[in-house]
């Protein structure tokens, strides 16, 4: 299992190249940008908070819609903890409307901003400067944050070595014969994490960063709902491999 996971990762990386996740805004006029091969982002608390906001906004919607919502927050000078905390939920919902479920997401953002201010005085550095399991437990106790969102925050905002599982991961791994359809989230996460367990922590972090993004790319290009197996870079290792 371990070497198979490593081979899949390498084949996807060779085929698609570094993905540059998680997009962050360096130039406010451009909005979130990808930085392939550069794992230094987020470089400050502002970028880390933007990743956290993006992780909430991307629930049940595509990234394109999230970008528009983030640009609206930037235009209204409200991509920070204090502004989100103070802004009325209805006004916030108008700005994040492109991301869908905007009333619910506005409440979630406000709950999280309030929490960060009340418990951590808005200091994300201190929040993340703890063992990963401790932060994960805390994130999961906040309303509106499930395992995928918590792990996205830990990996992409907190730079912690944790693998993010989403519906694409589940679909690809199931077709490859690595998991069954009903596998638990943490079971899938551990399969990947165990495959890179002996690597240095920062290498694990950058690997999990890329692997998640590569699986998303792969599920969009080849392993779609109706798979396009011709030219699939991991076809030889795949149990499902549909004839096209
Ligand atoms: S061979 Fe087809 S089903 Fe298997 S991983 Fe590739 S695209 Fe998905």
């Amino acid at each position: 299992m371990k070497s198979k996971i490593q081979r899949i990762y390498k084949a996807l990386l060779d085929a698609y190249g570094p993905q540059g996740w998680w997009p962050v805004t360096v130039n406010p006029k451009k909005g979130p940008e990808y930085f392939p091969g550069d794992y230094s982002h987020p470089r400050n608390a502002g970028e880390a908070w933007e990743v956290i906001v993006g992780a909430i906004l991307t629930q049940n919607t595509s990234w394109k819609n999230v970008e528009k919502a983030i640009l609206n927050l930037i235009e209204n000078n409200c991509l920070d903890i204090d502004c989100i905390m103070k802004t009325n939920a209805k006004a916030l919902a108008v700005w994040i409307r492109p991301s869908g479920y905007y009333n619910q997401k506005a409440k979630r953002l406000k709950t999280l901003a309030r929490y960060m201010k009340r418990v951590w005085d808005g200091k994300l550095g201190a929040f993340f400067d703890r063992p990963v399991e401790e932060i994960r437990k805390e994130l999961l106790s906040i309303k509106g944050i499930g395992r995928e969102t918590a792990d996205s925050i830990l990996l992409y905002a907190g730079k912690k070595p944790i693998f993010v599982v989403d519906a694409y991961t589940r679909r690809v791994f199931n077709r490859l014969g690595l998991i069954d359809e009903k596998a638990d989230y943490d079971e899938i996460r551990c399969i990947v994490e165990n495959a890179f367990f002996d690597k240095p922590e920062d290498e694990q972090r950058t690997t999990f960063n890329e692997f998640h993004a590569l699986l998303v790319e792969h599920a969009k290009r080849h392993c779609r709902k109706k798979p396009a197996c011709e030219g699939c870079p991991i076809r030889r290792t795949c149990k499902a491999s549909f004839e096209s």
Side-chain angles (χ1 to χ4, degrees):
M1 177 73 94
K2 182 178 168 182
S3 62
K4 188 170 179 182
I5 296 278
Q6 290 177 350
R7 277 201 309 277
I8 292 163
Y9 170 64
K10 188 174 180 314
L12 292 177
L13 187 60
D14 288 347
Y16 304 133
Q19 299 296 298
W21 280 38
W22 187 286
V24 287
T25 302
V26 171
N27 178 345
K29 283 189 185 136
K30 287 190 184 169
E33 288 179 86
Y34 294 88
F35 295 92
D38 175 356
Y39 304 102
S40 63
H41 294 277
R43 289 181 178 168
N44 51 53
E47 288 184 3
W49 178 248
E50 178 179 342
V51 175
I52 294 173
V53 169
I56 303 267
L57 294 182
T58 201
Q59 292 169 341
N60 302 306
T61 196
S62 72
W63 182 254
K64 277 272 150 245
N65 298 329
V66 176
E67 279 182 354
K68 290 177 202 154
I70 287 181
L71 274 170
N72 285 345
L73 290 173
I74 292 171
E75 270 170 27
N76 288 283
N77 288 319
C78 203
L79 190 52
D80 64 73
I81 293 177
D82 286 322
C83 182
I84 287 178
M85 205 179 68
K86 286 175 195 155
T87 303
N88 159 304
K90 280 190 180 153
L92 197 56
V94 171
W95 296 335
I96 64 166
R97 193 182 182 103
S99 70
Y101 303 97
Y102 42 89
N103 288 322
Q104 186 188 55
K105 287 178 183 176
K107 282 187 199 145
R108 286 181 180 177
L109 286 179
K110 284 185 66 63
T111 300
L112 186 56
R114 254 190 249 117
Y115 181 88
M116 286 299 177
K117 193 71 183 178
R118 180 172 55 81
V119 181
W120 293 95
D121 194 25
K123 294 185 171 58
L124 292 182
F127 175 73
F128 282 122
D129 190 19
R130 292 179 295 152
V132 63
E133 280 309 323
E134 193 179 317
I135 313 170
R136 190 175 197 248
K137 204 169 157 199
E138 194 170 317
L139 283 168
L140 291 173
S141 73
I142 300 169
K143 199 169 179 233
I145 299 188
R147 289 184 284 186
E148 185 185 333
T149 305
D151 294 345
S152 297
I153 290 172
L154 284 163
L155 174 63
Y156 293 109
K159 295 181 173 173
K160 299 289 181 187
I162 194 161
F163 181 72
V164 180
V165 176
D166 66 357
Y168 293 137
T169 317
R170 198 174 275 281
R171 181 203 291 165
V172 176
F173 279 18
N174 178 245
R175 287 176 178 169
L176 290 170
L178 297 170
I179 56 162
D180 67 47
E181 240 168 280
K182 290 189 179 138
D184 177 64
Y185 179 100
D186 286 311
E187 183 193 326
I188 306 170
R189 178 172 68 81
C190 289
I191 287 174
V192 175
E193 289 177 6
N194 290 341
F196 299 94
F197 187 69
D198 52 359
K199 305 284 181 207
E201 197 174 300
D202 203 51
E203 190 180 330
Q204 287 182 38
R205 195 260 300 183
T206 55
T207 301
F208 300 151
N209 174 322
E210 284 300 348
F211 206 172
H212 174 71
L214 287 164
L215 285 163
V216 172
E217 186 65 16
H218 179 61
K220 287 180 178 167
R221 288 209 212 180
H222 285 284
C223 211
R224 305 174 193 147
K225 266 189 188 152
K226 186 170 179 286
C229 300
E230 206 173 312
C232 166
I234 49 176
R235 190 170 188 172
R236 278 195 302 168
T237 56
C238 185
K239 285 235 165 82
S241 183
F242 300 82
E243 295 299 331
S244 326

